[in-house]
Amino acid sequence: MNSFSYVRTDDVATAVHEMAMDRAAKFIAGGTNLIDLMKENVAHPSRLIDITRLPLDKIEETANGGLRLGALVKNADTAYNEQVEKRYPLLAKAILAGASPQLRNMATNGGNLLQRTRCYYFYDTATPCNKREPGTTCSAMDGFNRMHAILGTSEHCIATHPSDMCVALAALEAVVRVTGKNGERTIPFAEFHRLPGDTPHLDSNLQADEIITAVDLPAKGFAEHYMYVKVRDRRSYAFALVSVAAALEMDCDTIRQARLALGGVAHKPWRVEAAEAELPRGAKAVTAKLLADAKPTRENAFKLQLAERTLGAVLTEARS
Ligand SMILES: Cc1cc2nc3c(=O)[nH]c(=O)nc-3n(C[C@H](O)[C@H](O)[C@H](O)COP(=O)(O)OP(=O)(O)OC[C@H]3O[C@@H](n4cnc5c(N)ncnc54)[C@H](O)[C@@H]3O)c2cc1C
Ligand code: SF4
């Protein structure tokens, strides 16, 4: 049993202050990932700062015609929000492809962005893992790595980011709003998560004392032509082997604009803007650019073909 203290905060400033006082503390929102990590002895926060009472539980219009999703809005409430369903159905579909109804009722938007990888070795404290303990080694590299990344990997880590919601947010070019002891700032979604490089213990560019307050969706929601498909080993309760989010703007049969993001293939949602420009040449050309730098292992090389086929199917659906 690891002992830890607990404090509940009512406003963002106090939450940030509490975190700045103790860098070994952790914010707790829905707890659906953090509590598991604590039970598995992977996370050992000295203190839990309960943020569930912070006033970040609303979905509101923004001045530029977009939508602001509070960090503490539950994943289920986000997916079933009338405005999200109507204007950002890609996001609703991606959220509903994740976890289970019970989990989505508990999990928050902020927590979803910061959930940790599902690499088996990361959860197994009997094996070395650079993400859990920097400078040990990566057990997945020569171990079971069928689920692991094929893009953006490093010699230190080949884990994937497990979120479905984040793949849609990448395609929609959302913006993450954060507050820290130096005030508020915004982080474009593409810059929020990191590739492992030689710092695989860091998943995002959020600073240690910062809290996510909201995720802003731009006005353009691609509500007419969109699709999210998640390919997994079983229909329920499984993380993506490969997932694809597509958001298209069509002019009759012509694609005017396309946003494509892949999940299950990298340490962050994978988007290559140059690949989107290849769309007039067909799905094969797009995939060739998207997967150009792939470095699969023997066990997960199947993801290359799976990504190509899923992308082709998703584009057909999204166009229609
Ligand atoms: C069995 C199971 C299956 C799952 N399947 C899927 C799936 O298929 N697809 C998918 O996308 N997800 C899946 N999930 C993950 C689930 O979506 C996440 O656990 C959930 O979104 C995390 O949200 P939370 O509020 O519970 O976060 P918590 O567990 O409370 O926190 C997670 C992390 O985020 C930090 N944090 C939380 N909120 C903030 C904030 N506002 N600011 C700064 N830091 C914060 C915490 O300190 C912690 O480090 C699954 C989870 C389980 C247990
Ligand atoms: S892939 Fe990353 S998380 Fe998994 S064992 Fe290697 S270092 Fe750890």
Side-chain angles (χ1 to χ4, degrees):
M1 177 74 189
N2 294 310
S3 61
F4 59 90
S5 60
Y6 169 89
V7 61
R8 184 189 284 152
T9 53
D10 294 324
D11 61 88
V12 171
T14 312
V16 168
H17 175 73
E18 290 285 346
M19 184 58 88
M21 304 266 286
D22 180 358
R23 290 299 170 87
K26 283 258 173 221
F27 293 126
I28 181 156
T32 60
N33 189 216
L34 183 55
I35 297 293
D36 276 359
L37 291 167
M38 290 170 70
K39 285 183 183 166
E40 299 285 344
N41 215 13
V42 175
H44 315 100
S46 56
R47 196 153 207 242
L48 288 185
I49 304 171
D50 184 341
I51 57 172
T52 53
R53 305 275 171 101
L54 300 188
L56 305 173
D57 57 350
K58 306 235 169 357
I59 296 184
E60 296 164 317
E61 300 275 341
T62 58
N64 64 5
L67 215 54
R68 178 159 301 157
L69 312 174
L72 289 169
V73 180
K74 301 291 168 63
N75 284 178
D77 292 335
T78 304
Y80 293 123
N81 174 275
E82 203 186 327
Q83 287 298 313
V84 173
E85 281 183 321
K86 197 164 112 196
R87 295 169 56 193
Y88 306 95
L90 173 66
L91 178 61
K93 199 165 174 57
I95 293 174
L96 295 176
S100 66
Q102 293 88 339
L103 283 158
R104 295 193 297 265
N105 282 337
M106 198 67 200
T108 63
N109 293 336
N112 194 306
L113 267 58
L114 291 172
Q115 62 176 295
R116 307 224 60 197
T117 183
R118 291 284 158 172
C119 170
Y120 335 107
Y121 302 101
F122 177 68
Y123 281 80
D124 178 0
T125 55
T127 59
C129 163
N130 286 327
K131 186 179 275 299
R132 183 169 19 82
E133 264 182 87
T136 50
T137 190
C138 171
S139 297
M141 210 70 81
D142 296 315
F144 293 106
N145 49 37
R146 180 173 173 275
M147 294 290 291
H148 286 68
I150 55 172
L151 288 154
T153 54
S154 78
E155 58 182 310
H156 303 289
C157 180
I158 56 170
T160 55
H161 193 267
S163 168
D164 291 290
M165 178 181 190
C166 290
V167 184
L169 291 176
L172 292 169
E173 294 189 347
V175 171
V176 186
R177 301 183 72 84
V178 310
T179 301
K181 66 179 190 320
N182 295 325
E184 293 180 25
R185 67 180 178 119
T186 53
I187 311 174
F189 206 79
E191 292 163 28
F192 185 77
H193 294 104
R194 297 166 61 99
L195 291 178
D198 55 7
T199 52
H201 58 293
L202 299 176
D203 295 343
S204 77
N205 287 314
L206 194 73
Q207 298 301 305
D209 68 328
E210 286 179 325
I211 186 169
I212 300 175
T213 55
V215 177
D216 282 358
L217 301 174
K220 197 166 183 170
F222 298 90
E224 310 243 309
H225 296 279
Y226 68 90
M227 186 44 65
Y228 182 76
V229 169
K230 173 182 184 180
V231 183
R232 48 188 151 173
D233 280 328
R234 56 178 189 202
R235 199 154 161 71
S236 162
Y237 246 5
F239 292 88
L241 289 166
V242 165
S243 69
V244 179
L248 308 181
E249 188 183 313
M250 304 283 298
D251 182 2
C252 298
D253 280 346
T254 309
I255 298 175
R256 289 271 170 241
Q257 196 187 355
R259 307 256 192 85
L260 302 168
L262 300 184
V265 295
H267 202 253
K268 60 188 283 188
W270 194 256
R271 190 171 164 222
V272 178
E273 286 181 47
E276 293 160 8
E278 294 290 314
L279 251 172
R281 297 177 52 220
K284 250 192 160 34
V286 175
T287 334
K289 266 250 156 47
L290 257 177
L291 305 179
D293 299 320
K295 287 199 187 96
T297 66
R298 193 162 46 87
E299 279 192 36
N300 69 14
F302 72 94
K303 287 193 178 190
L304 292 170
Q305 198 175 44
L306 190 59
E308 182 177 334
R309 289 179 177 170
T310 311
L311 188 92
V314 163
L315 282 173
T316 306
E317 284 275 337
R319 287 176 80 126
S320 63

Short mmCIF file of all heavy atoms in Angstrom, two decimals, residues 88 90 167-174 217-222 225-228 244-249 255-262 270-273 275-277 279 286 290 311 314-315 318:
data_model
loop_
_atom_site.label_atom_id
_atom_site.label_comp_id
_atom_site.label_asym_id
_atom_site.label_seq_id
_atom_site.Cartn_x
_atom_site.Cartn_y
_atom_site.Cartn_z
N TYR A 88 -20.31 18.35 -34.96
CA TYR A 88 -19.03 17.63 -34.95
C TYR A 88 -19.27 16.12 -34.80
O TYR A 88 -18.78 15.48 -33.87
CB TYR A 88 -18.15 18.14 -33.79
CG TYR A 88 -17.95 19.63 -33.81
CD1 TYR A 88 -18.77 20.47 -33.05
CD2 TYR A 88 -16.96 20.21 -34.59
CE1 TYR A 88 -18.61 21.85 -33.08
CE2 TYR A 88 -16.78 21.60 -34.63
CZ TYR A 88 -17.62 22.40 -33.86
OH TYR A 88 -17.44 23.77 -33.89
N LEU A 90 -18.11 13.67 -36.24
CA LEU A 90 -16.88 12.86 -36.27
C LEU A 90 -16.37 12.65 -34.84
O LEU A 90 -15.98 11.54 -34.47
CB LEU A 90 -15.82 13.58 -37.11
CG LEU A 90 -14.42 12.95 -37.09
CD1 LEU A 90 -14.43 11.59 -37.76
CD2 LEU A 90 -13.41 13.86 -37.79
N VAL A 167 -7.97 11.21 -31.90
CA VAL A 167 -7.77 11.08 -33.35
C VAL A 167 -8.72 12.04 -34.07
O VAL A 167 -8.33 12.75 -35.01
CB VAL A 167 -7.99 9.61 -33.80
CG1 VAL A 167 -7.68 9.46 -35.29
CG2 VAL A 167 -7.12 8.66 -32.97
N ALA A 168 -9.96 12.11 -33.58
CA ALA A 168 -10.92 13.05 -34.19
C ALA A 168 -10.49 14.49 -33.90
O ALA A 168 -10.59 15.35 -34.77
CB ALA A 168 -12.32 12.77 -33.64
N LEU A 169 -10.03 14.75 -32.68
CA LEU A 169 -9.61 16.12 -32.34
C LEU A 169 -8.45 16.58 -33.22
O LEU A 169 -8.34 17.74 -33.58
CB LEU A 169 -9.24 16.21 -30.85
CG LEU A 169 -10.40 16.07 -29.87
CD1 LEU A 169 -9.89 16.07 -28.43
CD2 LEU A 169 -11.44 17.18 -30.05
N ALA A 170 -7.57 15.63 -33.56
CA ALA A 170 -6.44 15.97 -34.45
C ALA A 170 -6.97 16.36 -35.83
O ALA A 170 -6.54 17.36 -36.42
CB ALA A 170 -5.48 14.80 -34.55
N ALA A 171 -7.92 15.59 -36.34
CA ALA A 171 -8.48 15.89 -37.67
C ALA A 171 -9.25 17.21 -37.66
O ALA A 171 -9.25 17.94 -38.65
CB ALA A 171 -9.38 14.74 -38.13
N LEU A 172 -9.89 17.52 -36.55
CA LEU A 172 -10.69 18.75 -36.47
C LEU A 172 -9.85 19.98 -36.14
O LEU A 172 -10.36 21.10 -36.08
CB LEU A 172 -11.80 18.58 -35.41
CG LEU A 172 -12.90 17.58 -35.77
CD1 LEU A 172 -13.78 17.29 -34.56
CD2 LEU A 172 -13.74 18.09 -36.94
N GLU A 173 -8.57 19.77 -35.91
CA GLU A 173 -7.64 20.87 -35.53
C GLU A 173 -8.13 21.61 -34.31
O GLU A 173 -8.23 22.85 -34.27
CB GLU A 173 -7.40 21.82 -36.72
CG GLU A 173 -6.68 21.13 -37.85
CD GLU A 173 -6.22 22.07 -38.96
OE1 GLU A 173 -6.66 23.23 -38.99
OE2 GLU A 173 -5.40 21.62 -39.81
N ALA A 174 -8.43 20.84 -33.27
CA ALA A 174 -8.84 21.42 -31.99
C ALA A 174 -7.66 22.14 -31.34
O ALA A 174 -6.51 22.00 -31.78
CB ALA A 174 -9.34 20.31 -31.07
N LEU A 217 -13.11 23.61 -30.21
CA LEU A 217 -13.31 23.11 -31.57
C LEU A 217 -13.52 24.31 -32.49
O LEU A 217 -14.31 25.20 -32.16
CB LEU A 217 -14.56 22.23 -31.63
CG LEU A 217 -14.56 20.99 -30.72
CD1 LEU A 217 -15.91 20.29 -30.79
CD2 LEU A 217 -13.46 20.03 -31.14
N PRO A 218 -12.80 24.37 -33.62
CA PRO A 218 -13.03 25.49 -34.55
C PRO A 218 -14.44 25.43 -35.14
O PRO A 218 -15.11 24.39 -35.04
CB PRO A 218 -11.99 25.26 -35.65
CG PRO A 218 -11.19 24.09 -35.27
CD PRO A 218 -11.85 23.40 -34.13
N ALA A 219 -14.85 26.53 -35.76
CA ALA A 219 -16.22 26.60 -36.29
C ALA A 219 -16.51 25.49 -37.30
O ALA A 219 -17.60 24.93 -37.36
CB ALA A 219 -16.44 27.97 -36.92
N LYS A 220 -15.49 25.15 -38.09
CA LYS A 220 -15.71 24.18 -39.16
C LYS A 220 -15.72 22.75 -38.59
O LYS A 220 -14.71 22.27 -38.08
CB LYS A 220 -14.57 24.32 -40.16
CG LYS A 220 -14.84 23.71 -41.47
CD LYS A 220 -13.81 24.23 -42.44
CE LYS A 220 -14.06 23.71 -43.81
NZ LYS A 220 -13.23 24.37 -44.78
N GLY A 221 -16.88 22.09 -38.70
CA GLY A 221 -17.01 20.77 -38.07
C GLY A 221 -17.06 19.61 -39.04
O GLY A 221 -17.08 18.46 -38.63
N PHE A 222 -17.07 19.86 -40.35
CA PHE A 222 -17.14 18.80 -41.36
C PHE A 222 -18.31 17.85 -41.09
O PHE A 222 -18.15 16.63 -41.10
CB PHE A 222 -15.82 18.02 -41.42
CG PHE A 222 -14.64 18.86 -41.82
CD1 PHE A 222 -13.88 19.51 -40.86
CD2 PHE A 222 -14.30 19.01 -43.15
CE1 PHE A 222 -12.79 20.30 -41.23
CE2 PHE A 222 -13.20 19.79 -43.53
CZ PHE A 222 -12.44 20.43 -42.56
N HIS A 225 -19.54 15.35 -44.38
CA HIS A 225 -18.73 14.25 -44.92
C HIS A 225 -17.63 13.90 -43.92
O HIS A 225 -16.61 14.59 -43.84
CB HIS A 225 -18.12 14.64 -46.27
CG HIS A 225 -19.14 14.87 -47.32
ND1 HIS A 225 -19.73 13.83 -48.02
CD2 HIS A 225 -19.73 16.00 -47.76
CE1 HIS A 225 -20.62 14.33 -48.86
NE2 HIS A 225 -20.64 15.64 -48.72
N TYR A 226 -17.87 12.86 -43.19
CA TYR A 226 -16.92 12.47 -42.15
C TYR A 226 -17.02 10.96 -41.91
O TYR A 226 -18.02 10.32 -42.30
CB TYR A 226 -17.27 13.20 -40.83
CG TYR A 226 -18.58 12.72 -40.26
CD1 TYR A 226 -18.62 11.65 -39.37
CD2 TYR A 226 -19.78 13.26 -40.69
CE1 TYR A 226 -19.84 11.15 -38.90
CE2 TYR A 226 -20.98 12.77 -40.24
CZ TYR A 226 -21.00 11.73 -39.33
OH TYR A 226 -22.19 11.24 -38.90
N MET A 227 -16.04 10.39 -41.30
CA MET A 227 -16.13 8.99 -40.87
C MET A 227 -15.02 8.68 -39.86
O MET A 227 -13.92 9.22 -39.97
CB MET A 227 -16.02 8.05 -42.08
CG MET A 227 -16.25 6.57 -41.82
SD MET A 227 -17.65 6.13 -40.74
CE MET A 227 -19.04 6.67 -41.71
N TYR A 228 -15.34 7.86 -38.88
CA TYR A 228 -14.31 7.33 -37.97
C TYR A 228 -14.50 5.83 -37.93
O TYR A 228 -15.59 5.34 -37.62
CB TYR A 228 -14.47 7.91 -36.55
CG TYR A 228 -13.38 7.41 -35.62
CD1 TYR A 228 -12.09 7.93 -35.70
CD2 TYR A 228 -13.63 6.42 -34.68
CE1 TYR A 228 -11.07 7.47 -34.87
CE2 TYR A 228 -12.62 5.95 -33.85
CZ TYR A 228 -11.35 6.49 -33.94
OH TYR A 228 -10.34 6.04 -33.13
N VAL A 244 -9.04 5.31 -38.21
CA VAL A 244 -8.91 6.40 -39.19
C VAL A 244 -10.06 7.39 -38.99
O VAL A 244 -11.22 6.99 -38.92
CB VAL A 244 -8.96 5.88 -40.65
CG1 VAL A 244 -8.84 7.03 -41.64
CG2 VAL A 244 -7.86 4.85 -40.91
N ALA A 245 -9.69 8.66 -38.89
CA ALA A 245 -10.70 9.74 -38.87
C ALA A 245 -10.55 10.52 -40.17
O ALA A 245 -9.44 10.91 -40.54
CB ALA A 245 -10.46 10.66 -37.68
N ALA A 246 -11.66 10.73 -40.85
CA ALA A 246 -11.63 11.52 -42.08
C ALA A 246 -12.70 12.61 -42.01
O ALA A 246 -13.83 12.36 -41.61
CB ALA A 246 -11.88 10.64 -43.30
N ALA A 247 -12.30 13.82 -42.38
CA ALA A 247 -13.23 14.95 -42.44
C ALA A 247 -13.03 15.60 -43.81
O ALA A 247 -11.93 16.04 -44.13
CB ALA A 247 -12.92 15.94 -41.33
N LEU A 248 -14.09 15.60 -44.62
CA LEU A 248 -13.95 16.11 -45.99
C LEU A 248 -14.90 17.27 -46.25
O LEU A 248 -16.00 17.32 -45.71
CB LEU A 248 -14.31 15.01 -47.01
CG LEU A 248 -13.62 13.65 -46.90
CD1 LEU A 248 -14.11 12.73 -48.02
CD2 LEU A 248 -12.11 13.80 -46.96
N GLU A 249 -14.44 18.17 -47.09
CA GLU A 249 -15.33 19.20 -47.61
C GLU A 249 -15.49 18.91 -49.09
O GLU A 249 -14.49 18.87 -49.82
CB GLU A 249 -14.70 20.57 -47.39
CG GLU A 249 -15.66 21.69 -47.72
CD GLU A 249 -14.98 23.05 -47.57
OE1 GLU A 249 -14.31 23.28 -46.54
OE2 GLU A 249 -15.10 23.85 -48.51
N ILE A 255 -13.37 16.68 -53.92
CA ILE A 255 -12.95 16.95 -52.54
C ILE A 255 -12.21 18.28 -52.52
O ILE A 255 -11.17 18.43 -53.15
CB ILE A 255 -12.04 15.83 -52.00
CG1 ILE A 255 -12.80 14.50 -51.98
CG2 ILE A 255 -11.52 16.17 -50.61
CD1 ILE A 255 -11.95 13.31 -51.59
N ARG A 256 -12.77 19.27 -51.82
CA ARG A 256 -12.14 20.60 -51.72
C ARG A 256 -11.11 20.63 -50.61
O ARG A 256 -10.11 21.31 -50.69
CB ARG A 256 -13.21 21.66 -51.43
CG ARG A 256 -14.10 21.93 -52.60
CD ARG A 256 -13.51 23.03 -53.50
NE ARG A 256 -14.26 23.10 -54.74
CZ ARG A 256 -13.75 22.90 -55.93
NH1 ARG A 256 -12.48 22.61 -56.08
NH2 ARG A 256 -14.50 22.98 -57.01
N GLN A 257 -11.41 19.94 -49.53
CA GLN A 257 -10.49 19.93 -48.40
C GLN A 257 -10.61 18.59 -47.68
O GLN A 257 -11.71 18.02 -47.60
CB GLN A 257 -10.83 21.06 -47.43
CG GLN A 257 -9.70 21.35 -46.47
CD GLN A 257 -10.09 22.36 -45.39
OE1 GLN A 257 -11.17 22.92 -45.41
NE2 GLN A 257 -9.19 22.58 -44.44
N ALA A 258 -9.50 18.11 -47.18
CA ALA A 258 -9.55 16.82 -46.46
C ALA A 258 -8.64 16.88 -45.24
O ALA A 258 -7.57 17.46 -45.28
CB ALA A 258 -9.08 15.70 -47.38
N ARG A 259 -9.11 16.29 -44.18
CA ARG A 259 -8.27 16.13 -42.98
C ARG A 259 -8.33 14.65 -42.62
O ARG A 259 -9.40 14.08 -42.48
CB ARG A 259 -8.84 16.93 -41.82
CG ARG A 259 -9.10 18.39 -42.12
CD ARG A 259 -8.03 19.26 -41.49
NE ARG A 259 -8.43 20.65 -41.55
CZ ARG A 259 -9.22 21.24 -40.66
NH1 ARG A 259 -9.67 20.55 -39.60
NH2 ARG A 259 -9.55 22.49 -40.78
N LEU A 260 -7.17 14.07 -42.45
CA LEU A 260 -7.10 12.64 -42.15
C LEU A 260 -6.18 12.41 -40.96
O LEU A 260 -5.09 12.99 -40.91
CB LEU A 260 -6.52 11.88 -43.35
CG LEU A 260 -7.28 12.03 -44.67
CD1 LEU A 260 -6.46 11.47 -45.82
CD2 LEU A 260 -8.62 11.32 -44.58
N ALA A 261 -6.60 11.61 -40.02
CA ALA A 261 -5.72 11.28 -38.89
C ALA A 261 -5.84 9.79 -38.58
O ALA A 261 -6.93 9.21 -38.71
CB ALA A 261 -6.10 12.11 -37.67
N LEU A 262 -4.72 9.20 -38.21
CA LEU A 262 -4.69 7.77 -37.87
C LEU A 262 -4.48 7.60 -36.38
O LEU A 262 -3.70 8.33 -35.76
CB LEU A 262 -3.55 7.06 -38.60
CG LEU A 262 -3.50 7.06 -40.12
CD1 LEU A 262 -2.32 6.21 -40.60
CD2 LEU A 262 -4.79 6.52 -40.70
N TRP A 270 -1.79 10.45 -35.68
CA TRP A 270 -0.85 10.66 -36.79
C TRP A 270 -1.51 11.40 -37.93
O TRP A 270 -2.45 10.91 -38.55
CB TRP A 270 -0.34 9.30 -37.27
CG TRP A 270 0.86 9.41 -38.17
CD1 TRP A 270 0.88 9.26 -39.52
CD2 TRP A 270 2.20 9.69 -37.78
NE1 TRP A 270 2.16 9.44 -39.99
CE2 TRP A 270 2.99 9.71 -38.93
CE3 TRP A 270 2.82 9.94 -36.54
CZ2 TRP A 270 4.36 9.96 -38.91
CZ3 TRP A 270 4.18 10.19 -36.51
CH2 TRP A 270 4.93 10.19 -37.69
N ARG A 271 -1.03 12.60 -38.18
CA ARG A 271 -1.58 13.40 -39.28
C ARG A 271 -0.42 13.95 -40.10
O ARG A 271 0.54 14.48 -39.53
CB ARG A 271 -2.41 14.55 -38.71
CG ARG A 271 -3.20 15.25 -39.78
CD ARG A 271 -4.21 16.24 -39.30
NE ARG A 271 -4.56 17.07 -40.45
CZ ARG A 271 -4.72 18.36 -40.43
NH1 ARG A 271 -4.64 19.02 -39.29
NH2 ARG A 271 -5.00 19.02 -41.54
N VAL A 272 -0.50 13.79 -41.42
CA VAL A 272 0.54 14.33 -42.31
C VAL A 272 -0.20 15.18 -43.35
O VAL A 272 -0.88 14.64 -44.24
CB VAL A 272 1.32 13.19 -43.02
CG1 VAL A 272 2.36 13.76 -43.97
CG2 VAL A 272 1.99 12.28 -42.00
N GLU A 273 -0.07 16.48 -43.22
CA GLU A 273 -0.84 17.35 -44.11
C GLU A 273 -0.50 17.14 -45.58
O GLU A 273 -1.37 17.21 -46.45
CB GLU A 273 -0.66 18.81 -43.70
CG GLU A 273 -1.43 19.11 -42.43
CD GLU A 273 -1.32 20.54 -41.97
OE1 GLU A 273 -1.47 21.44 -42.82
OE2 GLU A 273 -1.08 20.76 -40.77
N ALA A 275 0.07 14.48 -47.02
CA ALA A 275 -0.65 13.30 -47.52
C ALA A 275 -2.06 13.68 -47.96
O ALA A 275 -2.60 13.13 -48.93
CB ALA A 275 -0.72 12.23 -46.42
N GLU A 276 -2.65 14.65 -47.26
CA GLU A 276 -4.01 15.06 -47.59
C GLU A 276 -4.08 15.70 -48.98
O GLU A 276 -5.08 15.56 -49.68
CB GLU A 276 -4.52 16.03 -46.50
CG GLU A 276 -4.70 15.30 -45.17
CD GLU A 276 -4.73 16.21 -43.96
OE1 GLU A 276 -4.76 17.43 -44.11
OE2 GLU A 276 -4.72 15.66 -42.83
N ALA A 277 -2.99 16.34 -49.36
CA ALA A 277 -2.94 16.97 -50.69
C ALA A 277 -2.91 15.92 -51.80
O ALA A 277 -3.17 16.23 -52.97
CB ALA A 277 -1.70 17.86 -50.78
N LEU A 279 -4.93 13.48 -52.10
CA LEU A 279 -6.25 12.84 -52.26
C LEU A 279 -6.76 12.74 -53.69
O LEU A 279 -7.32 11.71 -54.09
CB LEU A 279 -7.27 13.53 -51.38
CG LEU A 279 -7.70 12.68 -50.20
CD1 LEU A 279 -8.57 13.47 -49.26
CD2 LEU A 279 -8.43 11.44 -50.66
N VAL A 286 -2.37 8.63 -50.98
CA VAL A 286 -2.45 9.24 -49.65
C VAL A 286 -1.71 8.36 -48.63
O VAL A 286 -0.89 8.83 -47.85
CB VAL A 286 -3.92 9.41 -49.21
CG1 VAL A 286 -4.01 9.94 -47.79
CG2 VAL A 286 -4.65 10.33 -50.16
N LEU A 290 1.33 9.05 -46.06
CA LEU A 290 1.05 8.95 -44.62
C LEU A 290 1.99 7.96 -43.93
O LEU A 290 2.43 8.17 -42.81
CB LEU A 290 -0.38 8.43 -44.42
CG LEU A 290 -1.48 9.40 -44.04
CD1 LEU A 290 -2.80 8.66 -43.97
CD2 LEU A 290 -1.21 10.09 -42.72
N LEU A 311 -8.25 3.15 -44.54
CA LEU A 311 -8.32 4.51 -45.09
C LEU A 311 -9.17 4.52 -46.37
O LEU A 311 -10.03 5.40 -46.55
CB LEU A 311 -6.92 5.03 -45.39
CG LEU A 311 -6.90 6.48 -45.79
CD1 LEU A 311 -6.68 7.34 -44.55
CD2 LEU A 311 -5.82 6.77 -46.80
N VAL A 314 -12.80 4.20 -45.37
CA VAL A 314 -13.26 5.41 -44.68
C VAL A 314 -13.50 6.54 -45.68
O VAL A 314 -14.50 7.26 -45.60
CB VAL A 314 -12.23 5.82 -43.60
CG1 VAL A 314 -12.43 7.24 -43.15
CG2 VAL A 314 -12.33 4.88 -42.41
N LEU A 315 -12.61 6.68 -46.65
CA LEU A 315 -12.77 7.74 -47.63
C LEU A 315 -14.03 7.53 -48.47
O LEU A 315 -14.78 8.46 -48.75
CB LEU A 315 -11.54 7.80 -48.55
CG LEU A 315 -10.33 8.50 -47.94
CD1 LEU A 315 -9.11 8.36 -48.84
CD2 LEU A 315 -10.63 9.98 -47.69
N ALA A 318 -16.92 8.48 -46.25
CA ALA A 318 -16.98 9.92 -45.97
C ALA A 318 -17.44 10.70 -47.19
O ALA A 318 -18.22 11.64 -47.08
CB ALA A 318 -15.62 10.42 -45.50
#
